[in-house]
Amino acid sequence: MTTVETRPTDTSIGVAPPLAVRLANVVRLHLANPWTPIIIPTLILAVIFLANLAIWNLIAYNTGNEDLSNVNNGGIAFVAIYMLVVATQTMNSTFPFALGYGVTRRDFYLGSSALFLMLSAGYAAGITVFALIERATSGWGLNASFFAPIYLGDLNAAEFFWVYFTLLVFFFFLGAATAAVYVRWRTTGMLVFFGGLLAIIIASIWLLSITDSFGAVGQFFVSAGLLGSHSWSLAVSALMAIAGYALLRRATPRN
Amino acid sequence: MTAIVEVTNVTKRYGSLKAVNDASFTLQENAIHGLLGRNGAGKTTLMQLITGQEFATSGQITVMGHSPVENAGVLHHTCFIKESQKYPEDFRIKHVLKSAPWFFPNWNSDLGASLVEDFRLPVNRKIKKLSRGQLSAVGVIVGLASRAPLTFFDEPYLGLDAVARHTFYDRLLADYAVHPRTVVLSTHLIDEVANLLERVIVIDEGAIIINADADSLRASATTVAGKREDVEAFVTGREVLGRESIGGLVSATVADLSANDRSVAVKAGLDLSPVSLQQLIVRRTGGLDVEQENAA
């Protein structure tokens, strides 16, 4: 072979773009196809809401009752479950792809976490806007509740946002941490994980029973209040986020 | 030539299986390497180790002096789309083309677009709906258009027809000539790529058994053909890598012939011909002699 002094266009091996740029690229990768993380859940939520609105009006029309304040609705919970699935898919299929693109596990996890926080904030802000509209229109003219369920009481805008934000963050990192167990140890990991989880839950109930501490647990949530409990959930979310990273940083993409 | 990748005594165990066993070799900067070996020989594991996707059980790997593991400075300059690559849920081909430039600083969109045409890929189709050949073509396009200084192709021809395979070989050579980079091509279609390769690394059951310049490897063995008694007389005392016979004619693959040996052979009325890379590697990785097969 001839030793021609030709160089590749970029021989700066050892040099990477700044961390912020790398993380931003991971976020863009997740949003390259915006249908899954943004468009589909928004559409589904819109359809659920419009269907509910139609049914409320149908009930009001047929019964003449224009106060539906006793009709409870959990439609909004769909968003939380959907985000759990998004986080799971992200870990399972986008992770090995990002590695093929030369992304480090650390950058992938930090970038994905940034995306989860951004999506949580975005959805929480959107739902809050509709919750305020709902309140301003006296429950769409029917005292109905969809974006501001009864049990949320008289929260102000910032409190609405906080409740939804912490809820979504919790479900994102629940999905991420669980999927990280799968990515790291596959089916065996799942079996051990859910087996262990079940054992911990049973042991906790058992422990609470024999120490007669159910009251104390209930007291904790009562004294923390709705907002306090949601704020405390961030600590759990943070633990799940750390566990997810600990699992993923030694994971290898498999088929 | 300088080494861009240095692999030193690397072993990767999965339980009791040694997928890579005490491998030591270097990859040369700006050369096309063939990583050859049978199915399950450890080719993919080796490439995963070099790109930090796998963790070595023992040994050391460096790329330009840096460990690739979790090192953005190294991985930012590598591209490794596996044969069994997973893509994000709901990704279409166009999403791959859209996102690739964010990760590969040398990405060339024009090259990507013309390759899409060459392989006749439907850019709006979901990755999950692609045929095996189309999936391979997506990997080939990312590998070529990324122009990454360190590019790995993992059995890129799977499911590709002969025309598409030659498109790949032609485009690789053409682009490589203008934008030299370090390429590793794992394959077992050795004859097809033989002319592309400058370096040859052969892995068998996890161990590196050949790591040589392609030309010197080709020159390292010669096929000697002629009448049985002439051939037998000539090869006695030499390293015979393989032997085929039809009736009274024998052709034997013999290692390391000197110029003097050659003239002796020609005087004895024997035909000398260069051995193909594929034949040579089949011999060295446990291929049977045709004579034995026929006898069975």
Side-chain angles (χ1 to χ4, degrees), chain A residues 158-188:
Chain A
E159 290 165 341
F160 262 125
F161 175 83
W162 187 244
V163 165
Y164 282 119
F165 176 73
T166 51
L167 180 78
L168 291 172
V169 167
F170 180 86
F171 275 89
F172 265 122
F173 284 102
L174 178 63
T178 313
V181 175
Y182 179 73
V183 170
R184 178 80 178 267
W185 289 304
R186 301 281 125 180
T187 313
T188 318

PDB file of all heavy atoms in Angstrom, chain A residues 158-188:
ATOM      1  N   ALA A 158     -50.043  27.784  39.667  1.00  0.00           N
ATOM      2  CA  ALA A 158     -48.725  27.220  39.955  1.00  0.00           C
ATOM      3  C   ALA A 158     -48.859  25.856  40.639  1.00  0.00           C
ATOM      4  O   ALA A 158     -48.087  24.925  40.362  1.00  0.00           O
ATOM      5  CB  ALA A 158     -47.928  28.169  40.841  1.00  0.00           C
ATOM      6  N   GLU A 159     -49.859  25.733  41.506  1.00  0.00           N
ATOM      7  CA  GLU A 159     -50.054  24.465  42.207  1.00  0.00           C
ATOM      8  C   GLU A 159     -50.539  23.373  41.255  1.00  0.00           C
ATOM      9  O   GLU A 159     -50.099  22.233  41.326  1.00  0.00           O
ATOM     10  CB  GLU A 159     -51.036  24.670  43.367  1.00  0.00           C
ATOM     11  CG  GLU A 159     -50.438  25.503  44.488  1.00  0.00           C
ATOM     12  CD  GLU A 159     -51.476  26.018  45.472  1.00  0.00           C
ATOM     13  OE1 GLU A 159     -52.674  26.042  45.125  1.00  0.00           O
ATOM     14  OE2 GLU A 159     -51.067  26.399  46.588  1.00  0.00           O
ATOM     15  N   PHE A 160     -51.454  23.736  40.342  1.00  0.00           N
ATOM     16  CA  PHE A 160     -51.879  22.789  39.305  1.00  0.00           C
ATOM     17  C   PHE A 160     -50.662  22.258  38.547  1.00  0.00           C
ATOM     18  O   PHE A 160     -50.472  21.057  38.355  1.00  0.00           O
ATOM     19  CB  PHE A 160     -52.803  23.485  38.289  1.00  0.00           C
ATOM     20  CG  PHE A 160     -54.251  23.246  38.553  1.00  0.00           C
ATOM     21  CD1 PHE A 160     -55.125  24.316  38.694  1.00  0.00           C
ATOM     22  CD2 PHE A 160     -54.752  21.955  38.639  1.00  0.00           C
ATOM     23  CE1 PHE A 160     -56.463  24.103  38.925  1.00  0.00           C
ATOM     24  CE2 PHE A 160     -56.093  21.739  38.868  1.00  0.00           C
ATOM     25  CZ  PHE A 160     -56.954  22.817  39.017  1.00  0.00           C
ATOM     26  N   PHE A 161     -49.838  23.221  38.098  1.00  0.00           N
ATOM     27  CA  PHE A 161     -48.655  22.865  37.322  1.00  0.00           C
ATOM     28  C   PHE A 161     -47.767  21.905  38.122  1.00  0.00           C
ATOM     29  O   PHE A 161     -47.318  20.875  37.615  1.00  0.00           O
ATOM     30  CB  PHE A 161     -47.861  24.130  36.971  1.00  0.00           C
ATOM     31  CG  PHE A 161     -46.559  23.832  36.272  1.00  0.00           C
ATOM     32  CD1 PHE A 161     -46.529  23.606  34.905  1.00  0.00           C
ATOM     33  CD2 PHE A 161     -45.369  23.748  36.991  1.00  0.00           C
ATOM     34  CE1 PHE A 161     -45.339  23.311  34.269  1.00  0.00           C
ATOM     35  CE2 PHE A 161     -44.173  23.456  36.349  1.00  0.00           C
ATOM     36  CZ  PHE A 161     -44.158  23.236  34.989  1.00  0.00           C
ATOM     37  N   TRP A 162     -47.575  22.217  39.399  1.00  0.00           N
ATOM     38  CA  TRP A 162     -46.673  21.419  40.235  1.00  0.00           C
ATOM     39  C   TRP A 162     -47.193  19.992  40.385  1.00  0.00           C
ATOM     40  O   TRP A 162     -46.444  19.022  40.281  1.00  0.00           O
ATOM     41  CB  TRP A 162     -46.509  22.091  41.607  1.00  0.00           C
ATOM     42  CG  TRP A 162     -45.476  21.436  42.473  1.00  0.00           C
ATOM     43  CD1 TRP A 162     -45.681  20.801  43.653  1.00  0.00           C
ATOM     44  CD2 TRP A 162     -44.082  21.327  42.203  1.00  0.00           C
ATOM     45  NE1 TRP A 162     -44.502  20.310  44.142  1.00  0.00           N
ATOM     46  CE2 TRP A 162     -43.501  20.620  43.272  1.00  0.00           C
ATOM     47  CE3 TRP A 162     -43.258  21.761  41.148  1.00  0.00           C
ATOM     48  CZ2 TRP A 162     -42.137  20.335  43.339  1.00  0.00           C
ATOM     49  CZ3 TRP A 162     -41.903  21.471  41.206  1.00  0.00           C
ATOM     50  CH2 TRP A 162     -41.363  20.770  42.297  1.00  0.00           C
ATOM     51  N   VAL A 163     -48.499  19.859  40.623  1.00  0.00           N
ATOM     52  CA  VAL A 163     -49.105  18.536  40.791  1.00  0.00           C
ATOM     53  C   VAL A 163     -48.911  17.686  39.528  1.00  0.00           C
ATOM     54  O   VAL A 163     -48.465  16.542  39.595  1.00  0.00           O
ATOM     55  CB  VAL A 163     -50.615  18.670  41.121  1.00  0.00           C
ATOM     56  CG1 VAL A 163     -51.325  17.330  40.928  1.00  0.00           C
ATOM     57  CG2 VAL A 163     -50.783  19.156  42.549  1.00  0.00           C
ATOM     58  N   TYR A 164     -49.195  18.279  38.357  1.00  0.00           N
ATOM     59  CA  TYR A 164     -49.066  17.503  37.119  1.00  0.00           C
ATOM     60  C   TYR A 164     -47.601  17.245  36.767  1.00  0.00           C
ATOM     61  O   TYR A 164     -47.237  16.161  36.297  1.00  0.00           O
ATOM     62  CB  TYR A 164     -49.789  18.210  35.963  1.00  0.00           C
ATOM     63  CG  TYR A 164     -51.284  18.009  36.031  1.00  0.00           C
ATOM     64  CD1 TYR A 164     -52.158  19.083  36.157  1.00  0.00           C
ATOM     65  CD2 TYR A 164     -51.824  16.722  35.987  1.00  0.00           C
ATOM     66  CE1 TYR A 164     -53.525  18.887  36.227  1.00  0.00           C
ATOM     67  CE2 TYR A 164     -53.191  16.516  36.059  1.00  0.00           C
ATOM     68  CZ  TYR A 164     -54.047  17.601  36.183  1.00  0.00           C
ATOM     69  OH  TYR A 164     -55.377  17.393  36.260  1.00  0.00           O
ATOM     70  N   PHE A 165     -46.771  18.248  36.995  1.00  0.00           N
ATOM     71  CA  PHE A 165     -45.354  18.096  36.676  1.00  0.00           C
ATOM     72  C   PHE A 165     -44.742  16.945  37.484  1.00  0.00           C
ATOM     73  O   PHE A 165     -44.105  16.042  36.932  1.00  0.00           O
ATOM     74  CB  PHE A 165     -44.618  19.411  36.969  1.00  0.00           C
ATOM     75  CG  PHE A 165     -43.122  19.323  36.765  1.00  0.00           C
ATOM     76  CD1 PHE A 165     -42.584  19.267  35.494  1.00  0.00           C
ATOM     77  CD2 PHE A 165     -42.256  19.298  37.863  1.00  0.00           C
ATOM     78  CE1 PHE A 165     -41.206  19.183  35.311  1.00  0.00           C
ATOM     79  CE2 PHE A 165     -40.891  19.216  37.683  1.00  0.00           C
ATOM     80  CZ  PHE A 165     -40.361  19.155  36.403  1.00  0.00           C
ATOM     81  N   THR A 166     -44.961  16.929  38.784  1.00  0.00           N
ATOM     82  CA  THR A 166     -44.364  15.882  39.630  1.00  0.00           C
ATOM     83  C   THR A 166     -44.940  14.508  39.284  1.00  0.00           C
ATOM     84  O   THR A 166     -44.222  13.516  39.282  1.00  0.00           O
ATOM     85  CB  THR A 166     -44.611  16.178  41.117  1.00  0.00           C
ATOM     86  OG1 THR A 166     -46.001  16.429  41.308  1.00  0.00           O
ATOM     87  CG2 THR A 166     -43.814  17.377  41.588  1.00  0.00           C
ATOM     88  N   LEU A 167     -46.237  14.486  38.939  1.00  0.00           N
ATOM     89  CA  LEU A 167     -46.867  13.215  38.560  1.00  0.00           C
ATOM     90  C   LEU A 167     -46.209  12.638  37.296  1.00  0.00           C
ATOM     91  O   LEU A 167     -45.848  11.458  37.244  1.00  0.00           O
ATOM     92  CB  LEU A 167     -48.366  13.448  38.314  1.00  0.00           C
ATOM     93  CG  LEU A 167     -49.157  12.197  37.900  1.00  0.00           C
ATOM     94  CD1 LEU A 167     -49.428  11.333  39.131  1.00  0.00           C
ATOM     95  CD2 LEU A 167     -50.461  12.580  37.219  1.00  0.00           C
ATOM     96  N   LEU A 168     -46.028  13.501  36.296  1.00  0.00           N
ATOM     97  CA  LEU A 168     -45.451  13.029  35.030  1.00  0.00           C
ATOM     98  C   LEU A 168     -43.987  12.640  35.202  1.00  0.00           C
ATOM     99  O   LEU A 168     -43.538  11.628  34.655  1.00  0.00           O
ATOM    100  CB  LEU A 168     -45.606  14.103  33.949  1.00  0.00           C
ATOM    101  CG  LEU A 168     -47.061  14.321  33.507  1.00  0.00           C
ATOM    102  CD1 LEU A 168     -47.167  15.531  32.587  1.00  0.00           C
ATOM    103  CD2 LEU A 168     -47.584  13.081  32.793  1.00  0.00           C
ATOM    104  N   VAL A 169     -43.245  13.427  35.972  1.00  0.00           N
ATOM    105  CA  VAL A 169     -41.840  13.095  36.232  1.00  0.00           C
ATOM    106  C   VAL A 169     -41.758  11.715  36.872  1.00  0.00           C
ATOM    107  O   VAL A 169     -40.933  10.880  36.486  1.00  0.00           O
ATOM    108  CB  VAL A 169     -41.175  14.159  37.140  1.00  0.00           C
ATOM    109  CG1 VAL A 169     -39.834  13.669  37.673  1.00  0.00           C
ATOM    110  CG2 VAL A 169     -40.998  15.458  36.379  1.00  0.00           C
ATOM    111  N   PHE A 170     -42.651  11.457  37.826  1.00  0.00           N
ATOM    112  CA  PHE A 170     -42.678  10.161  38.502  1.00  0.00           C
ATOM    113  C   PHE A 170     -42.876   9.026  37.492  1.00  0.00           C
ATOM    114  O   PHE A 170     -42.131   8.046  37.499  1.00  0.00           O
ATOM    115  CB  PHE A 170     -43.808  10.147  39.551  1.00  0.00           C
ATOM    116  CG  PHE A 170     -43.924   8.861  40.311  1.00  0.00           C
ATOM    117  CD1 PHE A 170     -43.153   8.637  41.444  1.00  0.00           C
ATOM    118  CD2 PHE A 170     -44.800   7.864  39.895  1.00  0.00           C
ATOM    119  CE1 PHE A 170     -43.254   7.446  42.152  1.00  0.00           C
ATOM    120  CE2 PHE A 170     -44.900   6.674  40.592  1.00  0.00           C
ATOM    121  CZ  PHE A 170     -44.125   6.473  41.722  1.00  0.00           C
ATOM    122  N   PHE A 171     -43.858   9.188  36.614  1.00  0.00           N
ATOM    123  CA  PHE A 171     -44.141   8.101  35.666  1.00  0.00           C
ATOM    124  C   PHE A 171     -43.039   7.947  34.618  1.00  0.00           C
ATOM    125  O   PHE A 171     -42.716   6.831  34.210  1.00  0.00           O
ATOM    126  CB  PHE A 171     -45.507   8.303  35.009  1.00  0.00           C
ATOM    127  CG  PHE A 171     -46.613   7.752  35.860  1.00  0.00           C
ATOM    128  CD1 PHE A 171     -47.228   8.541  36.832  1.00  0.00           C
ATOM    129  CD2 PHE A 171     -47.010   6.427  35.744  1.00  0.00           C
ATOM    130  CE1 PHE A 171     -48.225   8.029  37.640  1.00  0.00           C
ATOM    131  CE2 PHE A 171     -48.001   5.906  36.547  1.00  0.00           C
ATOM    132  CZ  PHE A 171     -48.620   6.699  37.500  1.00  0.00           C
ATOM    133  N   PHE A 172     -42.432   9.050  34.178  1.00  0.00           N
ATOM    134  CA  PHE A 172     -41.313   8.952  33.235  1.00  0.00           C
ATOM    135  C   PHE A 172     -40.172   8.124  33.837  1.00  0.00           C
ATOM    136  O   PHE A 172     -39.656   7.200  33.204  1.00  0.00           O
ATOM    137  CB  PHE A 172     -40.778  10.345  32.888  1.00  0.00           C
ATOM    138  CG  PHE A 172     -41.372  10.926  31.631  1.00  0.00           C
ATOM    139  CD1 PHE A 172     -42.053  12.135  31.652  1.00  0.00           C
ATOM    140  CD2 PHE A 172     -41.245  10.259  30.421  1.00  0.00           C
ATOM    141  CE1 PHE A 172     -42.595  12.671  30.493  1.00  0.00           C
ATOM    142  CE2 PHE A 172     -41.784  10.790  29.255  1.00  0.00           C
ATOM    143  CZ  PHE A 172     -42.463  12.006  29.298  1.00  0.00           C
ATOM    144  N   PHE A 173     -39.795   8.441  35.060  1.00  0.00           N
ATOM    145  CA  PHE A 173     -38.629   7.759  35.625  1.00  0.00           C
ATOM    146  C   PHE A 173     -38.983   6.363  36.132  1.00  0.00           C
ATOM    147  O   PHE A 173     -38.106   5.490  36.178  1.00  0.00           O
ATOM    148  CB  PHE A 173     -37.953   8.631  36.679  1.00  0.00           C
ATOM    149  CG  PHE A 173     -37.167   9.735  36.044  1.00  0.00           C
ATOM    150  CD1 PHE A 173     -37.674  11.030  35.994  1.00  0.00           C
ATOM    151  CD2 PHE A 173     -35.959   9.476  35.425  1.00  0.00           C
ATOM    152  CE1 PHE A 173     -36.974  12.043  35.357  1.00  0.00           C
ATOM    153  CE2 PHE A 173     -35.249  10.482  34.785  1.00  0.00           C
ATOM    154  CZ  PHE A 173     -35.763  11.778  34.755  1.00  0.00           C
ATOM    155  N   LEU A 174     -40.267   6.138  36.458  1.00  0.00           N
ATOM    156  CA  LEU A 174     -40.696   4.774  36.756  1.00  0.00           C
ATOM    157  C   LEU A 174     -40.494   3.913  35.509  1.00  0.00           C
ATOM    158  O   LEU A 174     -39.924   2.817  35.563  1.00  0.00           O
ATOM    159  CB  LEU A 174     -42.176   4.767  37.184  1.00  0.00           C
ATOM    160  CG  LEU A 174     -42.787   3.394  37.488  1.00  0.00           C
ATOM    161  CD1 LEU A 174     -42.083   2.748  38.678  1.00  0.00           C
ATOM    162  CD2 LEU A 174     -44.282   3.520  37.764  1.00  0.00           C
ATOM    163  N   GLY A 175     -40.927   4.440  34.346  1.00  0.00           N
ATOM    164  CA  GLY A 175     -40.758   3.721  33.081  1.00  0.00           C
ATOM    165  C   GLY A 175     -39.284   3.540  32.742  1.00  0.00           C
ATOM    166  O   GLY A 175     -38.844   2.453  32.344  1.00  0.00           O
ATOM    167  N   ALA A 176     -38.496   4.596  32.910  1.00  0.00           N
ATOM    168  CA  ALA A 176     -37.076   4.544  32.553  1.00  0.00           C
ATOM    169  C   ALA A 176     -36.333   3.525  33.416  1.00  0.00           C
ATOM    170  O   ALA A 176     -35.551   2.710  32.909  1.00  0.00           O
ATOM    171  CB  ALA A 176     -36.451   5.930  32.704  1.00  0.00           C
ATOM    172  N   ALA A 177     -36.595   3.550  34.737  1.00  0.00           N
ATOM    173  CA  ALA A 177     -35.869   2.653  35.635  1.00  0.00           C
ATOM    174  C   ALA A 177     -36.258   1.197  35.386  1.00  0.00           C
ATOM    175  O   ALA A 177     -35.404   0.306  35.342  1.00  0.00           O
ATOM    176  CB  ALA A 177     -36.143   3.036  37.089  1.00  0.00           C
ATOM    177  N   THR A 178     -37.557   0.949  35.198  1.00  0.00           N
ATOM    178  CA  THR A 178     -37.997  -0.422  34.948  1.00  0.00           C
ATOM    179  C   THR A 178     -37.415  -0.950  33.638  1.00  0.00           C
ATOM    180  O   THR A 178     -36.908  -2.074  33.579  1.00  0.00           O
ATOM    181  CB  THR A 178     -39.543  -0.482  34.897  1.00  0.00           C
ATOM    182  OG1 THR A 178     -40.061   0.233  36.007  1.00  0.00           O
ATOM    183  CG2 THR A 178     -40.035  -1.905  34.941  1.00  0.00           C
ATOM    184  N   ALA A 179     -37.476  -0.107  32.589  1.00  0.00           N
ATOM    185  CA  ALA A 179     -36.932  -0.542  31.297  1.00  0.00           C
ATOM    186  C   ALA A 179     -35.424  -0.746  31.387  1.00  0.00           C
ATOM    187  O   ALA A 179     -34.873  -1.632  30.725  1.00  0.00           O
ATOM    188  CB  ALA A 179     -37.269   0.484  30.220  1.00  0.00           C
ATOM    189  N   ALA A 180     -34.751   0.052  32.210  1.00  0.00           N
ATOM    190  CA  ALA A 180     -33.300  -0.104  32.359  1.00  0.00           C
ATOM    191  C   ALA A 180     -32.966  -1.482  32.946  1.00  0.00           C
ATOM    192  O   ALA A 180     -31.959  -2.086  32.571  1.00  0.00           O
ATOM    193  CB  ALA A 180     -32.728   1.002  33.236  1.00  0.00           C
ATOM    194  N   VAL A 181     -33.824  -1.977  33.834  1.00  0.00           N
ATOM    195  CA  VAL A 181     -33.618  -3.335  34.356  1.00  0.00           C
ATOM    196  C   VAL A 181     -33.662  -4.337  33.206  1.00  0.00           C
ATOM    197  O   VAL A 181     -32.821  -5.227  33.091  1.00  0.00           O
ATOM    198  CB  VAL A 181     -34.699  -3.703  35.406  1.00  0.00           C
ATOM    199  CG1 VAL A 181     -34.556  -5.162  35.844  1.00  0.00           C
ATOM    200  CG2 VAL A 181     -34.619  -2.788  36.613  1.00  0.00           C
ATOM    201  N   TYR A 182     -34.638  -4.123  32.307  1.00  0.00           N
ATOM    202  CA  TYR A 182     -34.778  -5.038  31.170  1.00  0.00           C
ATOM    203  C   TYR A 182     -33.579  -4.923  30.223  1.00  0.00           C
ATOM    204  O   TYR A 182     -33.003  -5.938  29.803  1.00  0.00           O
ATOM    205  CB  TYR A 182     -36.079  -4.737  30.414  1.00  0.00           C
ATOM    206  CG  TYR A 182     -36.267  -5.619  29.216  1.00  0.00           C
ATOM    207  CD1 TYR A 182     -36.602  -6.967  29.370  1.00  0.00           C
ATOM    208  CD2 TYR A 182     -36.076  -5.133  27.924  1.00  0.00           C
ATOM    209  CE1 TYR A 182     -36.752  -7.794  28.277  1.00  0.00           C
ATOM    210  CE2 TYR A 182     -36.225  -5.958  26.822  1.00  0.00           C
ATOM    211  CZ  TYR A 182     -36.561  -7.275  26.996  1.00  0.00           C
ATOM    212  OH  TYR A 182     -36.695  -8.107  25.908  1.00  0.00           O
ATOM    213  N   VAL A 183     -33.178  -3.695  29.910  1.00  0.00           N
ATOM    214  CA  VAL A 183     -32.059  -3.498  28.977  1.00  0.00           C
ATOM    215  C   VAL A 183     -30.783  -4.133  29.546  1.00  0.00           C
ATOM    216  O   VAL A 183     -29.981  -4.710  28.824  1.00  0.00           O
ATOM    217  CB  VAL A 183     -31.852  -1.991  28.705  1.00  0.00           C
ATOM    218  CG1 VAL A 183     -30.564  -1.743  27.935  1.00  0.00           C
ATOM    219  CG2 VAL A 183     -33.038  -1.444  27.933  1.00  0.00           C
ATOM    220  N   ARG A 184     -30.630  -4.057  30.867  1.00  0.00           N
ATOM    221  CA  ARG A 184     -29.413  -4.586  31.485  1.00  0.00           C
ATOM    222  C   ARG A 184     -29.447  -6.107  31.585  1.00  0.00           C
ATOM    223  O   ARG A 184     -28.479  -6.790  31.285  1.00  0.00           O
ATOM    224  CB  ARG A 184     -29.258  -3.961  32.873  1.00  0.00           C
ATOM    225  CG  ARG A 184     -28.060  -4.450  33.676  1.00  0.00           C
ATOM    226  CD  ARG A 184     -26.785  -3.776  33.243  1.00  0.00           C
ATOM    227  NE  ARG A 184     -25.658  -4.205  34.037  1.00  0.00           N
ATOM    228  CZ  ARG A 184     -25.232  -3.579  35.130  1.00  0.00           C
ATOM    229  NH1 ARG A 184     -25.825  -2.473  35.534  1.00  0.00           N
ATOM    230  NH2 ARG A 184     -24.195  -4.033  35.796  1.00  0.00           N
ATOM    231  N   TRP A 185     -30.575  -6.664  32.075  1.00  0.00           N
ATOM    232  CA  TRP A 185     -30.595  -8.098  32.363  1.00  0.00           C
ATOM    233  C   TRP A 185     -31.681  -8.886  31.635  1.00  0.00           C
ATOM    234  O   TRP A 185     -31.936 -10.027  31.969  1.00  0.00           O
ATOM    235  CB  TRP A 185     -30.733  -8.317  33.872  1.00  0.00           C
ATOM    236  CG  TRP A 185     -29.500  -7.962  34.631  1.00  0.00           C
ATOM    237  CD1 TRP A 185     -28.239  -8.460  34.432  1.00  0.00           C
ATOM    238  CD2 TRP A 185     -29.378  -7.020  35.696  1.00  0.00           C
ATOM    239  NE1 TRP A 185     -27.352  -7.887  35.313  1.00  0.00           N
ATOM    240  CE2 TRP A 185     -28.029  -7.005  36.111  1.00  0.00           C
ATOM    241  CE3 TRP A 185     -30.290  -6.194  36.357  1.00  0.00           C
ATOM    242  CZ2 TRP A 185     -27.561  -6.194  37.141  1.00  0.00           C
ATOM    243  CZ3 TRP A 185     -29.825  -5.385  37.384  1.00  0.00           C
ATOM    244  CH2 TRP A 185     -28.475  -5.390  37.757  1.00  0.00           C
ATOM    245  N   ARG A 186     -32.345  -8.238  30.698  1.00  0.00           N
ATOM    246  CA  ARG A 186     -33.366  -8.923  29.895  1.00  0.00           C
ATOM    247  C   ARG A 186     -34.444  -9.611  30.747  1.00  0.00           C
ATOM    248  O   ARG A 186     -34.723  -9.185  31.846  1.00  0.00           O
ATOM    249  CB  ARG A 186     -32.710  -9.931  28.951  1.00  0.00           C
ATOM    250  CG  ARG A 186     -31.726  -9.330  27.992  1.00  0.00           C
ATOM    251  CD  ARG A 186     -32.435  -8.660  26.834  1.00  0.00           C
ATOM    252  NE  ARG A 186     -32.011  -7.285  26.724  1.00  0.00           N
ATOM    253  CZ  ARG A 186     -32.464  -6.451  25.796  1.00  0.00           C
ATOM    254  NH1 ARG A 186     -33.343  -6.852  24.920  1.00  0.00           N
ATOM    255  NH2 ARG A 186     -32.059  -5.212  25.756  1.00  0.00           N
ATOM    256  N   THR A 187     -34.982 -10.717  30.240  1.00  0.00           N
ATOM    257  CA  THR A 187     -36.131 -11.369  30.883  1.00  0.00           C
ATOM    258  C   THR A 187     -35.821 -11.811  32.314  1.00  0.00           C
ATOM    259  O   THR A 187     -36.648 -11.632  33.216  1.00  0.00           O
ATOM    260  CB  THR A 187     -36.555 -12.595  30.051  1.00  0.00           C
ATOM    261  OG1 THR A 187     -36.622 -12.182  28.683  1.00  0.00           O
ATOM    262  CG2 THR A 187     -37.916 -13.104  30.490  1.00  0.00           C
ATOM    263  N   THR A 188     -34.629 -12.352  32.521  1.00  0.00           N
ATOM    264  CA  THR A 188     -34.249 -12.770  33.871  1.00  0.00           C
ATOM    265  C   THR A 188     -34.363 -11.597  34.833  1.00  0.00           C
ATOM    266  O   THR A 188     -34.897 -11.731  35.939  1.00  0.00           O
ATOM    267  CB  THR A 188     -32.782 -13.267  33.870  1.00  0.00           C
ATOM    268  OG1 THR A 188     -32.581 -14.051  32.701  1.00  0.00           O
ATOM    269  CG2 THR A 188     -32.474 -14.067  35.107  1.00  0.00           C
TER     270      THR A 188
END
